[in-house]
Amino acid sequence: MTETDVDLAKVPRLGLRHLQALLLFLGLVVNTTLQFNVGVAVVAMTNATSVNTDLPHYNWTEPEKSYVLSSFYWGSALTQFAGGYLCKRFGAKSVLFLGSFGSALLSALTPQGIYMAGWRAYCTIRLLQGLCQGLTLPCIHQHLANWAPAVERTRLGAFAYTGFDCGNVLAMYAAGMLASSSWGWPGISYASAAVGMAWCMLWLLLGANRASEARCIGRAEQRYIVGDLQRSVRRERKMAIPWRGIFTSAPFYALLCARCADTWGLATMQAELPAYLNGVLGLQMHSNAFFSALPFLLMWAMCYVYLIIADVLLQRRSLSLTALRKTYNSIALWTPAAIMLALGFVDATQKPLALALVTLSVGVSSAATIGSELNTIDLSPVHASILSGILSTFTNLVAMLTPLVVGVLVTHPTERSEWQVVFSIAALMLFSGNIVYLIWGTAETQPWNDNDAMSEAGSDFEDAKLEISAEPAYEKTRTST
């Protein structure tokens, strides 16, 4: 029996590949919490909401708050591309560990830094956290590409990416509860740091760059994974990065537009939702924590609903993968766009309606995970981390710009008309970004994925898409993120 042959009966239904997906899920929970707890923290620092009266509070201006909210992305945009290169050079395990550990350590230092130098220190720390976390997202993409057989990539990839949504829930709800407890706003940083460091230790113990390097993997599962990815891995090691192919690719630019549009809409909610709920709707910290987390809780739950529906549609071959991507992305971008336009006309006397619209707007956007988030592995399984690094560089610039725009537009947080402009701009971005994706987007593997053997690209990577086969998995030998 060759390395690519596999006895399907011996392949475990739950194996080490699922453990790697679980580790990625937890890693995204941790890193997302470290990234987005700032929205709640800033509200807590600038409003005396803690029961601990010994804690200082600050009278920061709206522009100063926007600098704090955006500073993370100043750093993250600088290292996204480097993260893709380092991941290919040294492997996901070490790069993801260093980025996550550095971000957790900086979180532990945050309160003391703020005590000494106020918002300027907070900006500096957030910038450094961005530099650390900029390394991590390309590692997620590449680790999935290395571990997930083609027919399982949608399941494993979508499950891992629900860590974003779970992290958002914790960033909003747990941070709000900590801020209103005796721990106060410093407790947000300390608790996030502790959880982050705990995950880093778990990752060191259980993570592995590839199935061929794992110590505790069964022989059948190893063949199941390696046999599917063997040719991609071999070519990845010897192939030059196809820069010209990437930067002249219409599907790549369509994906870039979709990701930037989704980032603008989601970043508006992630960073500014606590301020909107507090300013326009007048919700206090306890209520703010719950209602800030509720949209992301729905978003998390909807991920699994979308995944089940996608599974059924692909198994029945009701939609091609490209059609599925575009359908899901339209749901994820156009529904929030319409809701945001309506949200601008709701005032404090209509709190239930406003909360319902906010919750629905964020909740349905989780369709973007299947819609476009995993599309990098469709376009190029070999260069998934490079594509992710390029895309993340631009999306981080967008995420950096969003709070700065809000800081300029919203000078009086209680004025509904100012938030109306913010939501209208976000809706325009979401609508136009998806238009581009509908026209030029695709889930087909691109010729430049294998620029050394373009004539063989169709056959070698025919099965390297994120499809869920309607036939029993791997009933025949497979030799092909």
Side-chain angles (χ1 to χ4, degrees):
M1 180 178 287
T2 66
E3 187 178 15
T4 58
D5 292 329
V6 58
D7 183 354
L8 294 176
K10 295 182 179 179
V11 177
R13 289 183 176 271
L14 287 177
L16 202 59
R17 64 194 187 281
H18 299 95
L19 176 61
Q20 299 303 309
L22 176 61
L23 289 172
L24 292 180
F25 167 85
L26 295 174
L28 284 171
V29 170
V30 166
N31 281 285
T32 304
T33 302
L34 287 165
Q35 179 178 350
F36 292 117
N37 59 25
V38 62
V40 174
V42 167
V43 172
M45 290 178 199
T46 54
N47 293 278
T49 55
S50 173
V51 299
N52 189 341
T53 57
D54 296 330
L55 293 174
H57 290 83
Y58 303 92
N59 188 28
W60 295 341
T61 65
E62 291 304 314
E64 289 169 349
K65 294 178 186 177
S66 71
Y67 297 150
V68 172
L69 293 173
S70 66
S71 55
F72 177 94
Y73 303 101
W74 305 349
S76 182
L78 295 176
T79 54
Q80 290 285 343
F81 180 74
Y85 171 78
L86 292 173
C87 181
K88 288 176 70 70
R89 178 69 177 82
F90 299 105
K93 182 173 182 177
S94 57
V95 178
L96 186 54
F97 169 80
L98 290 174
S100 301
F101 185 81
S103 182
L105 182 61
L106 287 163
S107 180
L109 300 175
T110 296
Q112 294 303 318
I114 295 173
Y115 292 152
M116 290 188 292
W119 69 270
R120 292 179 179 82
Y122 203 2
C123 282
T124 302
I125 291 172
R126 292 288 297 173
L127 185 150
L128 294 174
Q129 279 187 300
L131 288 172
C132 291
Q133 285 205 31
L135 303 173
T136 61
L137 187 59
C139 295
I140 303 293
H141 283 252
Q142 195 62 54
H143 202 62
L144 284 170
N146 291 343
W147 272 92
V151 296
E152 295 187 10
R153 284 195 188 125
T154 294
R155 295 187 185 100
L156 295 180
F159 168 72
Y161 271 93
T162 59
F164 278 121
D165 309 303
C166 181
N168 273 310
V169 173
L170 291 179
M172 297 295 180
Y173 184 73
M177 298 307 294
L178 284 168
S180 58
S181 71
S182 59
W183 285 33
W185 58 263
I188 298 174
S189 296
Y190 293 138
S192 299
V195 174
M197 291 181 181
W199 178 83
C200 287
M201 297 303 105
L202 192 66
W203 176 247
L204 276 184
L205 290 174
L206 301 177
N209 286 322
R210 300 179 186 275
S212 57
E213 300 174 12
R215 292 173 295 177
C216 302
I217 191 171
R219 185 62 176 166
E221 185 181 14
Q222 186 181 63
R223 284 175 171 162
Y224 177 56
I225 297 170
V226 173
D228 185 61
L229 306 177
Q230 188 179 40
R231 292 188 182 184
S232 296
V233 170
R234 185 170 65 248
R235 288 193 177 117
E236 179 183 356
R237 290 173 177 170
K238 68 179 182 179
M239 286 173 58
I241 298 171
W243 298 115
R244 182 176 180 180
I246 292 172
F247 287 110
T248 57
S249 171
F252 171 74
Y253 285 111
L255 176 59
L256 177 62
C257 289
R259 296 310 309 143
C260 287
D262 182 53
T263 299
W264 187 288
L266 195 55
T268 299
M269 287 300 186
Q270 286 170 324
E272 305 296 341
L273 184 56
Y276 169 77
L277 295 179
N278 180 259
V280 175
L281 301 186
L283 295 177
Q284 299 304 311
M285 187 55 66
H286 278 92
S287 299
N288 198 337
F290 174 75
F291 289 115
S292 293
L294 185 60
F296 298 99
L297 182 61
L298 177 61
M299 188 179 183
W300 183 18
M302 286 300 296
C303 278
Y304 300 107
V305 175
Y306 288 134
L307 180 56
I308 293 170
I309 295 174
D311 198 348
V312 172
L313 290 174
L314 288 176
Q315 284 186 2
R316 294 180 178 178
R317 302 189 184 278
S318 302
L319 290 175
S320 67
L321 186 60
T322 296
L324 183 75
R325 293 265 187 256
K326 292 182 177 182
T327 300
Y328 269 54
N329 208 65
S330 297
I331 295 171
L333 271 64
W334 281 356
T335 304
I339 292 174
M340 284 185 178
L341 289 175
L343 188 61
F345 295 94
V346 179
D347 57 29
T349 63
Q350 300 170 296
K351 287 183 183 179
L353 177 59
L355 293 171
L357 289 175
V358 167
T359 301
L360 185 60
S361 174
V362 177
V364 299
S365 65
S366 60
T369 299
I370 296 175
S372 59
E373 185 74 46
L374 297 173
N375 195 209
T376 53
I377 313 177
D378 294 333
L379 299 182
S380 178
V382 173
H383 304 290
S385 65
I386 296 297
L387 295 186
S388 175
I390 298 171
L391 290 171
S392 297
T393 298
F394 285 95
T395 56
N396 273 269
L397 291 173
V398 170
M400 175 184 70
L401 184 62
T402 302
L404 296 177
V405 171
V406 174
V408 172
L409 296 175
V410 181
T411 56
H412 302 88
T414 58
E415 287 292 328
R416 179 174 59 87
S417 60
E418 295 181 356
W419 287 101
Q420 189 176 48
V421 177
V422 170
F423 293 139
S424 296
I425 292 174
L428 177 62
M429 293 291 184
L430 290 167
F431 180 80
S432 57
N434 191 55
I435 285 288
V436 176
Y437 190 69
L438 287 176
I439 297 173
W440 289 287
T442 183
E444 296 295 324
T445 301
Q446 297 301 291
W448 42 264
N449 174 70
D450 186 3
N451 58 350
D452 287 341
M454 291 181 63
S455 62
E456 299 175 3
S459 60
D460 288 344
F461 291 98
E462 181 180 355
D463 298 317
K465 304 170 188 175
L466 305 188
E467 296 192 31
I468 301 176
S469 175
E471 302 174 356
Y474 290 81
E475 287 189 350
K476 59 181 180 179
T477 299
R478 299 177 61 93
T479 57
S480 58
T481 313

